[in-house]
Amino acid sequence: MDHLDSVVQGIQVALQPGNLVFVALGVFIGTLIGVLPGLGPTATIALLLPLTYVLEPATAIILLAGIYYGSVYGGTITSVLLRIPGEASSVVTTFDGYPMAQQGRAGPALGIAAVGSFAGGMTATVVLVLLAPMLAGVALSFGPPEYTLIALTGILLVAWMGNVSVGRALVAAGLGLMLATVGLDPISGEPRFTFESTSMLAGLDFIPIAMGLFGLGEVLYNIDKSPTGTKIKHKIGRIWPTRSDFQQAGPSLARGTVLGSLLGLLPGGGSVVSSMSSYVVEKRRAKDPSRFGKGAIEGVAGPEAASNAGSTTAFVPLLTLGIPPNVVLALLYGALLIQGITPGPTLMTDRPEVFWGVIASMF
């Protein structure tokens, strides 16, 4: 009964008029950011982190989460119409979405992407509802050995998935750990790396670091880059795909949803890995792989379903174990810490309005 009461409390939080406005605002901003090449959800969330100071915890996370899963679909629009991926996970959509637009089928391409996004996101949210309490219950039995193993696993994943050599990735991870030790030792109270500065006793503030690293850095990097694309000459007609389109893309939607839901649970997963993996699977399963890259609707449906499913189930390790699987959710993790909330197995019992409110907002 206590668990049911927590769920009801979360639903009530999500249905509050103010939170409905913020989730709609977040999705709108996210979709807009997805359409604009170069900025992306990481820089946007980093720049908006200061807003979390003046919002309630559940409202702040609902807004930022809305930006995240709004941007996943927003990048599809320019990927199909201009061959300019507005977001990293939308790169795969350009392979077949843009050729469909050149053939005068931009409408069905956008339509099947929307259907795939909806199907993948809704299914993955159901998976999130079912898996999160189970995983949180298991995590409650974790002790120092288990958390040490998780920390070591995270560091090794940084080295394994980095774009540089393993040695350089480990050095970067070590530098991050060193920066995390700045301030007072939580056990002895001794100052560490403060250089006798009283302002450093509280440690490094997450917001300026995130804004400088992900926000301003990305803006300055893209300020002189002019993305180029080729505008299609055909008018966008019918948006809703035909019955034949659904018959052709239906299995791809199902496979993409399942694959994305599974990959989103893994550290380093999320929408990018899910969409790329789905495209590879669809191309290998196709009777005629040569169709891909020339306007195959399965090449749009599968990756779009997978990217939205992966971006949703990525919240499972964040909310239940306190492990952000990717950079965007690491920023959401920081936003929760700013509010005095530590994501982990006790979040569901200590702050049910945040835990279930965020999940309910996804629906």
Side-chain angles (χ1 to χ4, degrees), residues 83-123:
R83 199 169 55 182
I84 301 175
E87 208 270 328
S89 62
S90 303
V91 172
V92 177
T93 309
T94 63
F95 298 165
D96 286 281
Y98 183 71
M100 287 183 66
Q102 287 183 311
Q103 298 163 12
R105 303 193 67 220
L110 293 173
I112 202 66
V115 172
S117 300
F118 176 80
M122 289 295 288
T123 303

Side-chain angles (χ1 to χ4, degrees), residues 272-288:
V272 180
V273 176
S274 299
S275 62
M276 292 184 176
S277 301
S278 175
Y279 190 83
V280 172
V281 169
E282 294 306 317
K283 189 173 182 178
R284 289 185 177 179
R285 288 183 57 90
K287 295 180 180 179
D288 182 14

Side-chain angles (χ1 to χ4, degrees), residues 175-341:
L175 179 62
L177 291 174
M178 188 188 73
L179 293 177
T181 62
V182 174
L184 293 177
D185 185 283
I187 298 176
S188 66
E190 289 291 324
R192 301 177 301 190
F193 303 109
T194 59
F195 302 101
E196 300 182 356
S197 172
T198 56
S199 61
M200 299 283 283
L201 292 175
L204 300 177
D205 196 353
F206 180 80
I207 285 184
I209 292 177
M211 290 184 66
L213 184 62
F214 300 114
L216 297 179
E218 188 71 17
V219 171
L220 293 174
Y221 176 76
N222 288 284
I223 199 168
D224 64 341
K225 293 177 66 178
S226 300
T228 57
T230 306
K231 185 170 63 175
I232 61 171
K233 298 179 181 179
H234 301 282
K235 290 185 178 180
I236 300 176
R238 176 191 174 101
I239 296 292
W240 191 250
T242 63
R243 180 179 297 181
S244 174
D245 290 332
F246 278 114
Q247 290 175 348
Q248 204 169 358
S252 301
L253 290 173
R255 285 190 292 267
T257 298
V258 173
L259 183 63
S261 298
L262 294 175
L263 291 178
L265 298 171
L266 303 176
S271 58
V272 180
V273 176
S274 299
S275 62
M276 292 184 176
S277 301
S278 175
Y279 190 83
V280 172
V281 169
E282 294 306 317
K283 189 173 182 178
R284 289 185 177 179
R285 288 183 57 90
K287 295 180 180 179
D288 182 14
S290 63
R291 294 176 49 249
F292 283 77
K294 300 177 181 178
I297 196 169
E298 305 97 303
V300 177
E304 285 297 317
S307 65
N308 281 265
S311 65
T312 300
T313 54
F315 279 83
V316 173
L318 171 69
L319 296 177
T320 60
L321 298 176
I323 301 176
N326 53 51
V327 177
V328 178
L329 293 187
L331 291 174
L332 291 177
Y333 182 93
L336 285 167
L337 294 179
I338 290 170
Q339 296 284 352
I341 300 173

